[in-house]
Amino acid sequence: MWTEKNNQLVRNFEFKDFVQAFSFMTKVAMVAEKMNHHPEWTNVYNKVEIRLSTHDAGNTVTDKDRELASKIDGLPE
């Protein structure tokens, strides 16, 4: 579930292993590139943390972030 904190939408994902985590990140990258809206994220082995905010709106959460979060939620794991 996405939470809003520090002017960002944040969600943590956990996968079976690194390959699944990296595959998920690749899918997110394709969606983000099409939207021209790129996440801040970290990956350690099977864990991915995604942080969304809109930089050109003063680093706040906007509809663009909510739309990307929704599309991420719709990706197959």
Side-chain angles (χ1 to χ4, degrees), residues 13 23-33 37 39 41 50 68 72 75:
F13 297 86
S23 174
F24 171 74
M25 291 176 71
T26 301
K27 292 172 192 169
V28 171
M30 300 300 278
V31 171
E33 185 65 18
H37 191 57
W41 55 14
I50 299 178
L68 180 53
I72 291 169
L75 292 173

Side-chain angles (χ1 to χ4, degrees), residues 57-71:
N59 293 316
T60 60
V61 175
T62 66
D63 288 342
K64 208 173 195 183
D65 303 300
R66 290 183 183 89
E67 180 182 354
L68 180 53
S70 178
K71 288 182 179 192

Side-chain angles (χ1 to χ4, degrees), residues 2 7 9-10 12 36 38 46 51-52 70-71 74 77:
W2 293 93
N7 293 320
L9 285 180
V10 180
N12 292 299
N36 192 31
H38 305 94
N46 67 331
R51 295 172 305 283
L52 303 174
S70 178
K71 288 182 179 192
E77 292 188 22

Side-chain angles (χ1 to χ4, degrees), residues 32-60:
E33 185 65 18
K34 282 183 184 177
M35 290 182 65
N36 192 31
H37 191 57
H38 305 94
E40 292 182 32
W41 55 14
T42 58
N43 166 240
V44 177
Y45 183 58
N46 67 331
K47 294 177 176 71
V48 176
E49 180 183 74
I50 299 178
R51 295 172 305 283
L52 303 174
S53 67
T54 303
H55 304 292
D56 48 343
N59 293 316
T60 60

